[in-house]
């Protein structure tokens, strides 16, 4: 019904518009028409019809503008509404994200706490197991049965490898075992080994198997600059079957290694002052920067040994075999090299002096006799070219007339005088 009304109104409007356009000029301006002036009548009709069409166009434009403005305001309201909805959704999303983030952090804290708790419990359980193993190993180490003592030694080695916390303790325990057991005791005699024939004519002392096992374990431990020092400062022979032993930075002060077999041992930076290595076999040993101050190395075999930077102040090297050894930078002040074999020995920058001012800590050396190289075997001027040789250094007679040696001595004396002069000026 509404549709018919609209169509009827539209038809009526079109009819009215047609009637107005056709009859309007005569209805509104008929009294102005004149039959004698057709042009004027045409102008009036055209003008009237143009006015009507213009009015109609204005009405249509007004209606269009009205509806356009209405649509624009509606669209703006919709945009504002959509913006408000977006802001609300954004705020809700942000709130949900914050809530989720807080939940995640809480879950992460709970997880971290759980992991830390589990780790702590695992560490406690592990330490309990290690403590139990340690107690059992100590019991075995103190047993009267050799087999049980051996088992205790290797159990302690396993603990030393597995637990960094117990590493130092195990090293100290094993070193203490060696110090205690390295001395023959009543009821626990060592085996005297008579070595006859052309090889050796003196007797040695064989280590008990458990002490040998401890030294082997200590020798293959992981060594670091900050690690514990192995204290094996015993006063008796501690073995003669220690091939390839590794005891870097160990404390062997006063130890007795006489006649020991120490081929290719590693004793870098070890403390070996006043120790006895008489007749020991140290061939191929790694002895860099080791401190042999006042130690006995008489008749020791040091062939091809590396003694770079070693301290041999006042050491007894009588009859020692130093052939092929590396003594670069070693300190031999006050050392006794009577009868030592120095064939192919590297003596670059070796200190053979006992003069004051060379090193400030040589006060004890000053009271000893002159350096004795008079009976050294194989010593050449070339070996002494870069050493500290002074007039008080006793050298073999066959070198005394060598002009090159005299030049080396003169240079050393001149350098010594300059050092003393600088020291005097500084004072």
């Amino acid at each position: 019904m509404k549709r018919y009304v609209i169509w009827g109104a539209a038809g009526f409007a079109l009819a009215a518009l047609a009637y107005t356009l056709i009859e309007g000029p005569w209805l509104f301006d008929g009294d102005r028409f004149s039959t004698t002036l057709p042009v004027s009548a045409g102008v009036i009709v055209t003008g009237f019809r143009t006015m009507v069409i213009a009015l109609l166009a204005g009405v249509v434009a007004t209606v269009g503008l009205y509806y356009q403005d209405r649509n624009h305001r509606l669209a703006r309201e919709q945009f504002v509404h959509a913006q408000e909805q977006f802001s609300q959704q954004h705020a809700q999303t942000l709130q949900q994200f914050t809530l989720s983030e807080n939940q995640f952090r809480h879950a992460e804290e709970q997880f971290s706490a759980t992991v830390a708790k589990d780790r702590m419990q695992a560490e406690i359980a592990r330490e309990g197991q290690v403590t139990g193993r340690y107690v059992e190993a100590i019991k075995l180490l103190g047993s009267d049965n050799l087999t049980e003592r051996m088992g205790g030694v290797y159990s302690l080695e396993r603990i030393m490898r597995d637990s960094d916390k117990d590493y130092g303790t195990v090293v100290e325990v094993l070193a203490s075992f060696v110090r205690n057991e390295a001395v023959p005791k009543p009821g626990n005699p060592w085996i005297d080994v008579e070595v006859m024939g052309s090889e050796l004519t003196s007797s040695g002392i064989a280590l008990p198997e458990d002490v040998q096992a401890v030294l082997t374990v200590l020798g293959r431990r992981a060594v670091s600059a900050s690690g514990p020092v192995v204290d094996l400062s015993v006063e008796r022979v501690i073995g003669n079957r220690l091939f390839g032993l590794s005891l870097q930075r160990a404390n062997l002060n006063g130890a007795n290694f006489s006649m020991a077999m120490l081929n290719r041992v590693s004793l870098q930076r070890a403390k070996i002052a006043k120790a006895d290595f008489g007749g020991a076999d140290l061939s191929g040993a790694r002895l860099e920067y080791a401190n042999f101050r006042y130690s006995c190395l008489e008749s020791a075999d040091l062939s091809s040994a590396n003694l770079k930077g070693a301290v041999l102040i006042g050491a007894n090297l009588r009859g020692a075999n130093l052939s092929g050894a590396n003594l670069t930078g070693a300190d031999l002040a006050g050392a006794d090299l009577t009868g030592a074999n120095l064939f192919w020995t590297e003596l670059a920058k070796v200190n053979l002096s006992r003069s004051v001012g060379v090193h400030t800590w040589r006060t004890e050396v000053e009271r000893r006799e002159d350096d004795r190289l008079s009976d050294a075997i194989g010593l050449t001027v070339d070996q002494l070219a870069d050493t500290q040789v002074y007039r008080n250094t006793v050298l073999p007679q066959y070198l005394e007339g060598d002009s090159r040696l005299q030049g080396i001595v003169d240079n050393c004396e001149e350098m010594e005088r300059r050092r003393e002069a600088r020291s005097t000026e500084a004072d």
Side-chain angles (χ1 to χ4, degrees):
M1 182 67 181
K2 186 176 181 180
R3 181 183 300 176
Y4 293 115
V5 173
I6 293 174
W7 281 108
F12 178 77
L14 289 175
L17 177 61
Y19 178 77
T20 301
L21 291 175
I22 296 171
E23 297 295 337
W26 284 270
L27 292 176
F28 291 96
D29 293 323
D31 55 344
R32 297 182 182 182
F33 288 125
S34 174
T35 55
T36 58
L37 297 171
V39 177
S40 299
V43 172
I44 293 172
V45 171
T46 302
F48 180 81
R49 290 176 178 175
T50 302
M51 178 191 69
V52 171
I53 293 172
L55 290 174
L56 181 61
V59 172
V60 172
T62 302
V63 173
L65 289 174
Y66 170 76
Y67 278 104
Q68 186 177 3
D69 179 67
R70 181 180 176 185
N71 292 334
H72 175 71
R73 283 186 289 178
L74 180 62
R76 184 177 180 182
E77 291 176 358
Q78 291 177 346
F79 173 75
V80 172
H81 181 66
Q83 192 174 24
E84 292 176 354
Q85 287 183 336
F86 175 77
S87 298
Q88 292 177 356
Q89 292 177 353
H90 178 70
Q92 292 176 355
T93 303
L94 184 61
Q95 186 177 3
Q96 290 177 353
F97 176 77
T98 303
L99 180 62
S100 300
E101 187 177 19
N102 293 334
Q103 291 176 346
F104 174 76
R105 288 180 180 176
H106 182 65
E108 188 176 22
E109 290 175 358
Q110 287 183 334
F111 177 75
S112 299
T114 302
V115 170
K117 183 178 179 181
D118 293 342
R119 187 179 299 168
M120 183 181 299
Q121 291 177 348
E123 185 66 21
I124 292 173
R126 180 177 175 275
E127 289 183 357
Q129 292 176 357
V130 172
T131 301
R133 290 164 54 194
Y134 178 78
V135 172
E136 291 299 322
I138 293 298
K139 290 180 180 179
L140 292 173
L141 194 63
S143 172
D144 295 332
N145 185 283
L146 175 60
T147 304
E148 291 182 352
R149 291 198 301 274
M150 295 286 286
V153 171
Y154 293 115
S155 295
L156 287 173
E157 181 184 22
R158 181 65 181 272
I159 294 171
M160 180 174 61
R161 291 183 177 181
D162 293 345
S163 177
D164 293 337
K165 293 181 179 179
D166 300 299
Y167 175 84
T169 302
V170 172
V171 169
E172 292 176 2
V173 168
L174 293 176
S176 176
F177 179 83
V178 173
R179 291 196 302 271
N180 292 330
E181 297 299 324
V183 180
K185 300 177 182 179
N188 184 25
W190 291 6
I191 303 173
D192 291 334
V193 180
E194 296 291 339
V195 185
M196 306 299 293
S198 60
E199 296 182 358
L200 290 174
T201 57
S202 60
S203 62
I205 298 180
L207 276 176
E209 292 187 31
D210 51 355
V211 177
Q212 180 72 41
V214 171
L215 290 173
T216 301
V217 168
L218 289 174
R220 62 191 181 203
R221 78 194 190 284
V223 180
S224 63
S226 59
V229 176
V230 180
D231 186 1
L232 298 177
S233 53
V234 296
E235 297 179 356
R236 300 294 299 273
V237 175
I238 67 169
N240 62 353
R241 291 183 290 114
L242 303 175
F243 308 103
L245 181 68
S246 178
L247 290 174
Q248 297 95 323
R249 300 179 64 249
N251 180 6
L252 300 170
N253 291 335
N256 190 332
F257 285 90
S258 59
M259 305 303 296
M261 304 296 291
L262 299 168
N263 314 63
R264 300 187 181 278
V265 296
S266 296
L267 296 173
Q268 297 98 317
R269 300 185 183 277
K271 299 177 181 179
I272 323 177
K274 298 181 181 179
D276 186 358
F277 285 84
D281 184 355
L282 288 159
S283 57
R286 298 287 304 278
L287 305 171
E288 300 96 304
Y289 303 100
N291 187 348
F292 286 93
R293 188 188 297 250
Y294 303 121
S295 290
C296 175
L297 292 160
E298 185 173 359
S299 300
D301 185 1
L302 290 160
S303 58
S304 301
N306 190 348
L307 286 155
K308 179 181 179 180
V311 178
L312 292 157
I313 297 174
N316 179 2
L317 290 162
R318 295 174 65 90
N321 181 9
L322 291 164
S323 61
N326 182 7
L327 285 166
T328 302
D331 196 337
L332 288 163
D336 186 354
L337 290 163
T338 303
N341 183 353
L342 297 174
F343 275 112
W344 306 292
T345 303
E346 178 59 52
L347 294 171
K349 299 183 180 179
V350 169
N351 183 14
L352 296 171
S353 171
R354 64 179 184 84
S355 301
V356 179
V358 177
H359 291 289
T360 58
W361 37 264
R362 299 196 187 285
T363 53
E364 297 182 14
V365 181
E366 294 175 37
R367 295 193 293 270
R368 297 180 60 84
E369 297 179 8
D370 293 343
D371 301 330
R372 287 167 290 185
L373 292 170
S374 57
D375 295 328
I377 301 172
L379 188 65
T380 65
V381 175
D382 292 334
Q383 287 175 301
L384 299 173
D386 199 19
T387 60
Q388 299 178 32
V389 183
Y390 294 82
R391 299 186 189 280
N392 61 354
T393 301
V394 182
L395 298 171
Q397 293 183 356
Y398 66 87
L399 293 179
E400 290 182 357
D402 196 305
S403 60
R404 293 177 299 168
L405 179 60
Q406 187 61 43
I408 294 171
V409 172
D410 292 341
N411 289 335
C412 291
E413 295 285 351
E414 179 63 25
M415 292 176 63
E416 181 64 21
R417 283 194 294 271
R418 291 179 181 178
R419 278 193 291 267
E420 290 180 355
R422 286 196 296 267
S423 177
T424 303
E425 292 176 358
D427 295 339

